[in-house]
Amino acid sequence: MWQDILKTAIVGTERNALTIPTRNDALGDVLSKLGANARESSLLSAAAAVALYERAGQLPAKDSQALPVPAEADDVPYCNERAAQHLSLMLSGEYQEVLPEWLAKLTQAQQLVPTETLPQLLDVGLRTTELRESIIRVIGKRGLWLARQKPEWKYAIGQIDEATWETDSHAARLALIKKLRMQDPAAATQRLRSSWQENSPKERTEFLEVLRTNLSPTDEEFLEFALDDRSTIVRQAAAGLLRHLPESGFVKRMVERVRPLVSFSRKPRNKFAVEVTLPAERTAEMLRDGITAKSPYTAVGDKAWWLTLMINAIPFTFWLEFSGLTREQLIQAVRKSEWEKMFLEAWLKSGFRSGDIELIEAILQHSSLDITWTVLARGMSAPRLDELLIALLKNHQRTNFMEIGGQLLIARQSEWSQELSMVILANWEPIYAHLLKRLSYYVSNLALYVNAALIPQAMAKIARHNPTDKTTENLTNILQFRADMLKEITQ
Amino acid sequence: MKFTTEQVLALAPDASSAKAGQGLANARHWVTLGSDENAVWGECQGSGSKPYQTQIDLNEVAFKCSCPSRKFPCKHGLGLLLLFANQANQFKDSTQPNWVSDWLASRSKRAEQKAERAAKQSDEIANPNAQANRIASREAKVAAGLRELELWLHDLIRNGLAVPQIQEPKFWETPSKRMIDAQAPGLARLLQIAASHSVFGAAGYERMLKQLAKIHLLIEGYKRLDLLPAETQADIRTLIGFTQNQDELLKQSGVKDKWFVMGQRVTEEDRLRVQATWLHGATTKRDALILQYAHASQVLDASWLVGSAVEVELVFFASAYPLRALVKERGAIVSDLPSFELTIAQAMEAYAAALARQPWIERFPFAVQNVIPFHRDEQWGVRDAEHHILPIAPSYNKGWELLTKSGGHPVHLFGEWDGEVLWPLNVWPSEQ
């Protein structure tokens, strides 16, 4: 009946008259009283009556589809209201750089975030993949339950699901592999191998990057398999990882290639020299080991480039054995030679790979190299990096040390050890001045990552040594906020 | 009275105030902090030399601060109340400083003066004849306006809703402006709602016709006003745009009860912000709606703490189904939880009964027990123990928050029902 009224109203009563139906009910009574002569008026009256009749008479829809199984109750305590306020402040953008630390401390204290912040927090994990692991630890059973209700939040559930693995997006698979790699490294490689060829070269490269976590000799077989890849970028990624396995066949092959090309000799007056022959050709085996044909640098010839790639893969300890020289003698031998940069960079990289701080220091004492330090720092564990930083920053009078120390310091983005923090506090003024001058964007790292136990000392330092300006005010605010938030979690 | 963080943050005029307020909810920022049973106060060290004096009247939750901010409540007020909610032990002073006691005294004095003024006003109607003339002339204007609107409406139906000019804003502006001139602003508003459906093209015809039929019903009702019961007369007049004299209303004796603050919603209407506060009586079981209108620079009443209960005497506006009310007298705020007794089917029945008395109801309070929020095919809804469902408004943007609060378990829910979809305003954990 309503549809008839609506149709007439749309075309207009001029073209189409409405016949008001008769009914034997209360609505019929009302409709029968509408005047037949005033057509527009009776249409509107009928519309009003029928619409109201339907509106008042509507029954709620019934639905018997299964709803998700409810969340289990959490048995871990929630953080207190003040801590919750700190969280919502960070989620709104204020002091958001402190969020990783807050999450880590909350995990340590075995507390959960309040339920109402879960959607926002799960969204943070969506954008910031590095935070996912810590987010998963503080959302509790309610959070895991919620994550199951929205496909985008699937990262939080984390189990590799046989059913959806095949159909998942690359990003979702990558996140799952990352998580699996942390829990069961071998299972992660196994899983990758099962569907390896279905991925594009770029995707395969990204999967290989995941293996950097918990890399061990047991991965060699898979990496050798990846060296057979048709794509250059995949082979290079595999080669990059194999360098971290000094006992691998890959490193041995590189050693054998280089052995006939390099020799060290003693010269009069306790001097040493290096002699280098360039490789004559690039074999198919070399191609497989990630040695590309063309040098990317105009200043470096193709053959020198091949050699560089080989030497980069060789651990420094080989050279000690090979030459019978000491560390100092080796450095002295290559210095001032045309191969200085090639050798020192390769040795430095080896030093970062093996965590040989003395070697790094020795090379830096003699040479200033133009290297992306932040990338190198990524290959080193946090405690080792802290040790290196201590060594460098203690000797900050050397411009070289301060420069590189500063670069490495800003790459070290989580709470610093007490020892490192103490060294920084003891040398506060030059370090602060250097960062302000050269890396001003990162000055706030001093407040963000100084060891929590030393926050009062850091505040005292700032108050004593630095003029009150926007920068120091910001540092003090961050330190104060950290102190406040830590107090609420730990008390 | 124990405040929760959520309640306090709900008072913030905007997100940035909420953020700044949370930043100030730390004893470190406050030089002094004090409280007694009537008030909370503190001095906040700002950027100036003199700290800001911030104070809150706890009896009605009113804020005052010496800072220059135009926001209300300002970040200092919010910060102070948040701090009080979470760390009441930091408020060590218990003797009101003069700046607090003076303010509280001036508040109670103002309240008395207002009551007196209201009492006086009602006694003396300046010139009874002049007022009678004014009323008569307005009635004549409205009646003339309604006759024109009726002709316009009939023309529209004669030509059909499919005429192209219906999509043009100008088509609706003309009659709507005319209604303003005819002193029937309520009809202008209803016309604008009808116009808003035109942007959906053919899909909007159905809603548009329903809205036009409502207007038609008002016009017909006004023609026969004398034949209708007094309450229905009041509804029709109110919808047309006659206001009920609030001073007169407040002279009536009201409904005393402990009223739960069930939910609050601020919407924009014609460049006005409208704050709707829903109350539910503990003993009377009645629903009440407190409306407040504010221009951009005006502040909205921050004294209703959602989730609390207040001893209040309310006077209802005349209506066949009275919902809108005024506060006559206000008592203490108490912490208490409302009880939820209705299933979805029962709430729908109550809605139908209300429509039978007042067919123009636009939004209706729904307090339903033990419902489970769910999300399916991009749509939100709630389902009760009898498997009845209520769809949630597509524009509602807090679905995930609703879901996380329930965790798949039944919750008690309060929201506004518009006849088609629900707009959730608050949930309570169920006892189950």
Side-chain angles (χ1 to χ4, degrees):
Chain A
M1 180 165 36
W2 168 257
Q3 286 308 324
D4 288 339
I5 299 174
L6 181 62
K7 263 183 221 152
T8 313
I10 291 170
V11 298
T13 47
E14 197 168 48
R15 248 160 271 154
N16 207 344
L18 176 72
T19 10
I20 293 170
T22 50
R23 288 168 68 113
N24 291 325
D25 61 4
L27 181 62
D29 284 350
V30 172
L31 294 177
S32 68
K33 286 177 195 147
L34 301 176
N37 45 354
R39 300 207 294 196
E40 292 75 36
S41 177
S42 44
L43 182 137
L44 284 165
S45 295
V50 174
L52 189 63
Y53 176 83
E54 288 186 349
R55 200 156 154 226
Q58 70 174 313
L59 294 173
K62 206 148 187 170
D63 170 272
S64 293
Q65 282 192 54
L67 294 183
V69 177
E72 280 175 51
D74 274 301
D75 33 23
V76 180
Y78 294 104
C79 66
N80 71 28
E81 287 245 356
R82 269 104 53 204
Q85 257 175 50
H86 290 140
L87 173 62
S88 68
L89 204 56
M90 289 183 283
L91 289 175
S92 70
E94 205 92 335
Y95 301 115
Q96 54 186 341
E97 318 88 320
V98 186
L99 185 60
E101 184 182 14
W102 188 89
L103 292 169
K105 300 280 170 167
L106 200 70
T107 311
Q108 271 172 30
Q110 304 203 328
Q111 295 173 16
L112 299 179
V113 298
T115 347
E116 55 273 21
T117 56
L118 288 173
Q120 253 186 306
L121 198 59
L122 285 168
D123 277 346
V124 168
L126 206 57
R127 296 188 299 269
T128 323
T129 41
E130 308 89 78
L131 283 182
R132 288 181 178 181
E133 275 310 305
S134 12
I135 288 173
I136 292 165
R137 285 162 209 267
V138 296
I139 57 176
K141 291 179 183 163
R142 178 65 60 97
L144 289 178
W145 178 86
L146 188 67
R148 272 195 288 273
Q149 317 302 320
K150 190 175 181 177
E152 286 102 310
W153 291 336
K154 211 179 134 192
Y155 71 84
I157 310 162
Q159 296 141 349
I160 295 208
D161 193 334
E162 293 296 332
T164 57
W165 168 262
E166 294 298 323
T167 51
D168 271 344
S169 69
H170 172 64
R173 286 180 174 201
L174 199 59
L176 292 176
I177 284 292
K178 266 186 193 161
K179 196 174 150 79
L180 188 59
R181 181 70 182 175
M182 287 200 241
Q183 296 162 345
D184 185 352
T189 10
Q190 199 72 43
R191 163 61 55 185
L192 281 182
R193 193 189 278 251
S194 71
S195 56
W196 190 244
Q197 297 304 341
E198 296 158 21
N199 304 296
S200 73
K202 188 169 165 288
E203 289 169 348
R204 295 202 291 273
T205 314
E206 284 170 0
F207 278 131
L208 283 175
E209 258 324 293
V210 177
L211 302 186
R212 202 174 276 281
T213 311
N214 286 327
L215 188 70
S216 77
T218 51
D219 293 310
E220 188 183 350
E221 195 204 335
F222 181 66
L223 292 172
E224 281 288 335
F225 160 72
L227 282 180
D228 288 326
D229 208 282
R230 271 168 312 172
S231 154
T232 319
I233 53 166
V234 177
R235 288 199 305 275
Q236 279 175 325
L241 287 171
L242 282 163
R243 271 192 244 162
H244 285 267
L245 301 172
E247 300 302 318
S248 64
F250 169 84
V251 170
K252 289 196 180 105
R253 292 197 293 277
M254 290 300 195
V255 165
E256 292 317 315
R257 278 173 201 140
V258 167
R259 211 185 270 277
L261 301 176
V262 179
S263 66
F264 288 90
S265 56
R266 285 177 192 266
K267 299 276 171 198
R269 270 176 286 147
N270 222 13
K271 298 267 180 188
F272 307 92
V274 64
E275 268 176 60
V276 170
T277 318
L278 289 175
E281 51 162 5
R282 197 187 58 144
T283 61
E285 290 76 29
M286 285 160 72
L287 180 69
R288 177 175 179 270
D289 284 342
I291 295 173
T292 47
K294 291 275 171 218
S295 164
Y297 307 104
T298 42
V300 182
D302 290 343
K303 289 180 176 173
W305 172 245
W306 304 342
L307 184 63
T308 305
L309 289 175
M310 295 179 209
I311 288 188
N312 273 346
I314 297 174
F316 183 71
T317 45
F318 162 75
W319 298 106
L320 293 170
E321 208 180 300
F322 173 73
S323 66
L325 300 182
T326 65
R327 183 175 66 210
E328 297 305 322
Q329 289 168 337
L330 277 170
I331 294 173
Q332 202 249 304
V334 299
R335 283 198 68 206
K336 308 257 157 64
S337 79
E338 62 174 307
W339 307 105
E340 171 174 350
K341 190 168 154 28
M342 177 180 76
F343 278 108
L344 290 186
E345 277 193 18
W347 294 346
L348 195 67
K349 285 175 185 166
S350 161
F352 269 90
R353 284 201 297 270
S354 63
D356 186 343
I357 288 161
E358 288 173 1
L359 172 65
I360 299 170
E361 259 191 287
I363 295 169
L364 293 181
Q365 271 178 18
H366 293 293
S367 186
S368 61
L369 295 167
D370 184 20
I371 279 190
T372 321
W373 298 98
T374 41
V375 174
L376 272 190
R378 242 179 271 150
M380 215 178 200
S381 71
R384 277 306 206 178
L385 190 53
D386 281 6
E387 264 181 66
L388 175 61
L389 278 164
I390 291 170
L392 294 174
L393 295 175
K394 265 190 181 160
N395 294 306
H396 60 80
Q397 294 86 346
R398 295 173 192 273
T399 357
N400 201 14
F401 277 29
M402 178 56 110
E403 183 66 42
I404 296 159
Q407 297 270 0
L408 292 173
L409 190 63
I410 61 164
R412 175 69 177 84
Q413 295 188 359
S414 62
E415 194 181 3
W416 300 327
S417 67
Q418 286 219 20
E419 293 73 20
L420 173 59
S421 305
M422 275 186 327
V423 170
I424 291 171
L425 289 175
N427 301 286
W428 179 262
E429 291 208 293
I431 293 175
Y432 180 86
H434 174 79
L435 289 185
L436 195 61
K437 194 167 150 223
R438 303 296 306 276
L439 300 158
S440 60
Y441 181 75
Y442 296 97
V443 176
S444 57
N445 285 20
L446 287 172
L448 282 169
Y449 305 121
V450 72
N451 192 277
L454 296 170
I455 288 177
Q457 286 87 326
M459 290 177 69
K461 266 294 175 219
I462 296 172
R464 201 163 339 123
H465 290 290
N466 298 107
T468 316
D469 55 22
K470 269 253 179 274
T471 315
T472 53
E473 204 177 299
N474 181 30
L475 292 192
T476 313
N477 286 344
I478 293 173
L479 287 166
Q480 187 66 63
F481 181 77
R482 284 182 64 205
D484 288 347
M485 79 167 206
L486 294 172
K487 197 179 97 200
E488 295 307 339
I489 292 173
T490 49
Q491 74 181 184
Chain B
M1 169 69 203
K2 173 89 182 81
F3 299 94
T4 66
T5 303
E6 206 180 352
Q7 280 175 335
V8 179
L9 289 179
L11 301 177
D14 52 41
S16 74
S17 300
K19 192 162 113 180
Q22 290 183 82
L24 288 172
N26 187 310
R28 179 159 50 80
H29 296 290
W30 299 84
V31 191
T32 61
L33 285 169
S35 70
D36 62 13
E37 54 189 14
N38 294 314
V40 186
W41 60 90
E43 288 177 286
C44 183
Q45 191 59 61
S47 43
S49 56
K50 209 168 164 256
Y52 296 127
Q53 297 178 328
T54 312
Q55 45 195 324
I56 302 161
D57 179 346
L58 287 181
N59 295 312
E60 290 186 21
V61 196
F63 294 82
K64 183 177 162 68
C65 183
S66 62
C67 79
S69 166
R70 285 173 179 211
K71 301 267 179 71
F72 189 83
C74 68
K75 59 182 178 181
H76 307 102
L78 289 168
L80 186 69
L81 196 55
L82 279 172
L83 190 59
F84 183 66
N86 293 319
Q87 281 169 287
N89 58 343
Q90 296 275 5
F91 291 70
K92 298 206 170 77
D93 303 344
S94 56
T95 323
Q96 289 182 0
N98 286 340
W99 52 273
V100 176
S101 47
D102 289 354
W103 177 61
L104 291 178
S106 75
R107 277 180 63 78
S108 53
K109 198 167 159 202
R110 252 202 314 264
E112 276 165 34
Q113 282 171 346
K114 199 176 158 196
E116 266 173 45
R117 235 193 346 262
K120 227 192 252 164
Q121 243 175 21
S122 50
D123 289 343
E124 43 176 276
I125 291 170
N127 182 341
N129 281 338
Q131 202 186 8
N133 284 342
R134 254 199 322 275
I135 293 171
S137 112
R138 174 157 184 199
E139 298 282 357
K141 271 190 180 175
V142 170
L146 258 58
R147 274 195 299 278
E148 281 180 49
L149 184 62
E150 185 178 21
L151 289 177
W152 179 88
L153 205 52
H154 288 179
D155 276 349
L156 176 56
I157 295 299
R158 186 159 42 250
N159 297 324
L161 299 179
V163 292
Q165 56 273 34
I166 209 161
Q167 312 286 351
E168 290 164 23
K170 231 188 119 203
F171 178 82
W172 298 92
E173 273 164 24
T174 317
S176 149
K177 272 190 190 142
R178 179 69 195 96
M179 286 307 104
I180 302 275
D181 294 342
Q183 295 187 304
L187 285 171
R189 184 180 145 270
L190 294 178
L191 278 169
Q192 276 152 19
I193 298 175
S196 70
H197 298 308
S198 68
V199 296
F200 298 104
Y205 287 147
E206 175 159 5
R207 288 194 177 152
M208 192 192 290
L209 179 61
K210 284 181 181 168
Q211 187 68 16
L212 295 173
K214 274 188 185 178
I215 295 173
H216 166 78
L217 213 53
L218 279 176
I219 297 172
E220 293 297 315
Y222 189 74
K223 283 195 215 158
R224 305 169 175 74
L225 206 54
D226 295 342
L227 304 175
L228 296 167
E231 291 82 15
T232 306
Q233 290 186 21
D235 279 323
I236 291 171
R237 292 173 62 86
T238 302
L239 279 155
I240 288 173
F242 289 97
T243 46
Q244 298 188 24
N245 185 323
Q246 303 201 357
D247 292 329
E248 290 291 315
L249 279 171
L250 285 173
K251 272 194 291 176
Q252 300 171 15
S253 68
V255 183
K256 283 187 193 156
D257 200 348
K258 179 165 81 183
W259 295 92
F260 295 106
V261 185
M262 304 297 286
Q264 204 166 50
R265 182 178 180 191
V266 178
T267 48
E268 298 261 337
E269 202 173 272
D270 228 7
R271 267 169 286 163
L272 276 178
R273 276 171 305 145
V274 187
Q275 175 175 278
T277 308
W278 288 101
L279 305 177
H280 184 76
T283 320
T284 55
K285 308 274 176 209
R286 284 184 71 166
D287 294 298
L289 174 64
I290 310 284
L291 287 180
Q292 197 207 345
Y293 297 87
H295 292 288
S297 62
Q298 283 176 316
V299 294
L300 287 164
D301 183 0
S303 66
W304 300 103
L305 287 177
V306 172
S308 71
V310 207
E311 301 279 354
V312 184
E313 182 177 351
L314 289 179
V315 182
F316 285 84
F317 283 76
S319 164
Y321 192 91
L323 279 174
R324 193 176 168 198
L326 287 174
V327 175
K328 183 171 168 129
E329 204 170 309
R330 218 176 136 134
I333 300 177
V334 284
S335 303
D336 204 351
L337 289 176
S339 61
F340 290 79
E341 284 146 14
L342 300 187
T343 62
I344 286 176
Q346 287 165 333
M348 294 279 248
E349 271 172 40
Y351 174 64
L355 278 184
R357 281 152 71 180
Q358 211 282 52
W360 296 278
I361 288 179
E362 280 173 22
R363 45 192 191 181
F364 191 75
F366 260 23
V368 284
Q369 62 168 353
N370 296 326
V371 293
I372 302 175
F374 66 89
H375 183 241
R376 195 187 291 151
D377 307 329
E378 302 301 310
Q379 281 181 341
W380 291 96
V382 294
R383 184 165 100 181
D384 70 3
E386 294 172 339
H387 284 206
H388 285 130
I389 55 171
L390 289 176
I392 288 176
S395 53
Y396 182 73
N397 58 4
K398 294 238 188 294
W400 293 107
E401 280 80 358
L402 192 65
L403 197 66
T404 179
K405 279 183 188 165
S406 85
H409 297 280
V411 289
H412 299 322
L413 180 140
F414 180 82
E416 283 179 0
W417 175 251
D418 72 354
E420 289 178 26
V421 286
L422 183 75
W423 187 278
L425 289 175
N426 208 358
V427 293
W428 287 258
S430 144
E431 309 78 38
Q432 286 184 347

